[in-house]
Amino acid sequence: MPGVDDDLPSGAGPEEFSARIFGTAGPRTGAGLALSPFRGVRFVPEVAGDPAAVTMPPYDLIDEAAALRLLAGGGHNIVRLNLPRAAGESYAAAGERLRRWLDEGALAVDPEPALYVYEAARGAAVLQRGLIGGLGLRAEADGVVLPHENVFPGPVRDRLALMTAANANLEPIFLVYEGGGDAARIVDDAAAAAPLVEFDADDGLTHRLWRITDPAAHARIAADLRDKQALIADGHHRYATYRALQARHHAAGDGPGPWDEGLALLVDSTRYPPHLGAIHRVLPGLRPDDAVERARKAFRVTDFPDEAPALEALAAADGPAFLLGGGDSLCLLTDPDEDALAHSRPSGHSERWCGLDTAVLDYLLIGALWEVPENENAIEVVHDDPSAAIARARRSGGTAVVLNPLRVEDVLAVAGEGERVPRKSTSFGPKPRTGLVLRLLDPDASERP
């Protein structure tokens, strides 16, 4: 089997790499949307401890400080498998730890294949409810599983190394689809029973899990989903990793297997519309005063001494707008110059794409005015928390860029036309809790007790 560096070259740019990994030019297979039952791996509370203490948010929302808090909170926290480097351990060690936890009984494999119903609620309000299963991997050319962001080789290489070492999917990606059919009814019926797992987490939400084991229900769900189309809401790099792992196994002659699916949460957006938040940027190498002076060449700049009125003004802005932080005050950028927009606008994109706030940020501010390279090292991201982004920028001496969220209809329209919004444009939520259900890729997993 080829090594990671052989089948994921780092020289490819995000568009070229994404086209290759997602299969934009591949032949249509004719296969539809599919979510298969599997024997889930779950923590055993009597051995591992409170589910709230051993689960975590998705890995890409965890910074170093949060990882250290999770490590300090309990010996069996999933962070030891999903972010082993935070504990100074290798991915090989994480794979060994997974197998040791299975042998010790801290993790156990469910006795029969199931689809899992996952719910996140705040009080009596259900914010999200959907199905966790093995998502059938599809080339983008099939028009079944739609990415809306490009991906970079680095994060895919990282997750592929971990997934290979663990031989498992350690957390679900998150997709939405327009349903309202039989699958949605089965999900809601299952959630009327007592949950398999229920706990309150430090994110302020109650997380619940149910199990659907009836093969007849599986068949009804499969029939309902077959002609549907799903949008990747969160987890583009992990979906790309699923595709890379699948390609690696097929290239090695392994044929069909568990690598043809990836762990995913599929949510019916007609029943449970997702929250769409912004992803803010932090540029550690760009001084705030320098960022503002360069921005003045193409934007109207308004100073604010305090965060609350600045955020209100950002939310009320008409058209592309950005709030810069990191220094003593905050600066709102509005009314971009039309000539500057036209001069820096990239070719080959629709008018809708070029008008997205995140596109204007990338091609006018970050690219043309600030001349910052587009890579994961020069630009950090903070999901849906303006104050955290501003605080991080102040600590690093850099610049925070706070954005308004995109509109769901714009994301769907862009993806439906085969385009992708700029990387890290959307923060769909609530995101599924990591550690509730894992999926082994070992063909012999069915032999485990």
Side-chain angles (χ1 to χ4, degrees):
M1 185 177 295
V4 172
D5 290 333
D6 296 330
D7 52 10
L8 284 180
S10 58
E15 290 190 9
E16 177 188 350
F17 179 74
S18 300
R20 172 182 169 183
I21 205 80
F22 289 138
T24 54
R28 293 182 179 271
T29 65
L33 182 63
L35 197 69
S36 299
F38 67 103
R39 292 183 64 197
V41 175
R42 299 185 294 108
F43 280 107
V44 179
E46 293 79 6
V47 179
D50 181 1
V54 298
T55 58
M56 63 181 254
Y59 85 100
D60 55 352
L61 300 187
I62 302 297
D63 59 17
E64 182 178 356
L68 292 175
R69 287 195 300 271
L70 291 167
L71 287 168
H76 288 98
N77 193 287
I78 188 70
V79 73
R80 295 181 180 274
L81 303 182
N82 216 27
L83 288 173
R85 288 178 178 171
E89 296 182 348
S90 67
Y91 289 160
E96 293 169 1
R97 184 182 295 274
L98 170 62
R99 290 179 281 276
R100 185 165 67 252
W101 285 358
L102 283 163
D103 292 340
E104 294 171 352
L107 288 168
V109 183
D110 278 340
E112 54 188 323
L115 292 172
Y116 296 83
V117 174
Y118 168 75
E119 177 184 286
R122 180 174 285 114
V126 176
L127 304 181
Q128 181 191 89
R129 185 184 288 163
L131 280 169
I132 294 177
L135 176 73
L137 307 182
R138 304 288 182 257
E140 187 181 359
D142 287 335
V144 174
V145 177
L146 298 180
H148 69 270
E149 291 184 356
N150 281 324
V151 293
F152 285 77
V156 175
R157 180 179 294 106
D158 173 76
R159 291 295 95 181
L160 183 58
L162 176 61
M163 205 174 293
T164 301
N167 206 21
N169 300 151
L170 298 176
E171 62 180 335
I173 65 172
F174 171 27
L175 300 96
V176 295
Y177 77 107
E178 293 185 355
D182 205 17
R185 289 188 287 273
I186 294 172
V187 166
D188 287 341
D189 287 346
L196 190 67
V197 179
E198 179 176 12
F199 62 91
D200 297 326
D202 57 5
D203 56 9
L205 302 180
T206 300
H207 300 268
R208 299 183 178 96
L209 192 73
W210 294 263
R211 187 169 52 197
I212 299 174
T213 58
D214 181 8
H218 297 165
R220 288 168 57 196
I221 290 169
D224 187 40
L225 295 181
R226 189 169 296 123
D227 296 327
K228 301 295 192 300
Q229 187 179 63
L231 176 77
I232 301 175
D234 184 68
H236 284 78
H237 284 95
R238 281 167 284 159
Y239 184 75
T241 303
Y242 294 161
R243 294 270 302 166
L245 186 66
Q246 178 190 43
R248 176 179 289 186
H249 278 282
H250 289 180
D254 292 336
W259 40 81
D260 293 318
E261 298 171 348
L263 187 63
L265 168 69
L266 184 64
V267 174
D268 182 348
S269 61
T270 64
R271 290 287 186 99
Y272 303 99
H275 166 74
L276 179 52
I279 301 181
H280 312 297
R281 275 44 167 186
V282 176
L283 291 75
L286 180 64
R287 297 194 321 272
D289 56 345
D290 190 22
V292 172
E293 286 309 306
R294 294 194 195 188
R296 288 186 191 277
K297 299 176 183 179
F299 287 87
R300 178 184 176 186
V301 179
T302 306
D303 292 334
F304 288 86
D306 299 314
E307 186 176 313
L311 292 173
E312 290 177 4
L314 173 66
D318 184 20
F322 312 97
L323 183 64
L324 305 188
D328 294 332
S329 63
L330 298 109
C331 297
L332 180 65
L333 310 184
T334 57
D335 305 310
D337 180 77
E338 290 296 333
D339 289 339
L341 287 170
H343 181 72
S344 57
R345 180 178 292 141
S347 59
H349 288 287
S350 66
E351 285 296 317
R352 185 189 293 271
W353 186 96
C354 290
L356 297 173
D357 282 26
T358 47
V360 174
L361 170 65
D362 280 358
Y363 70 73
L364 178 54
L365 262 178
I366 290 178
L369 297 176
W370 292 341
E371 299 178 306
V372 174
E374 185 190 358
N375 63 54
E376 55 265 31
N377 298 317
I379 304 172
E380 301 174 0
V381 297
V382 175
H383 289 249
D384 211 14
D385 190 341
S387 298
I390 294 168
R392 183 184 293 188
R394 285 176 175 156
R395 288 195 300 270
S396 69
T399 298
V401 185
V402 176
L403 297 91
N404 285 320
L406 299 184
R407 301 185 305 168
V408 174
E409 54 265 37
D410 286 333
V411 177
L412 291 171
V414 167
E417 292 299 320
E419 288 186 291
R420 301 197 183 92
V421 301
R423 180 175 179 255
K424 298 299 180 184
S425 286
T426 58
S427 181
F428 282 92
K431 303 179 193 304
R433 189 81 173 172
T434 295
L436 272 174
V437 178
L438 288 63
R439 177 176 175 265
L440 298 180
L441 297 177
D442 182 356
D444 298 324
S446 60
E447 301 303 318
R448 288 185 177 272

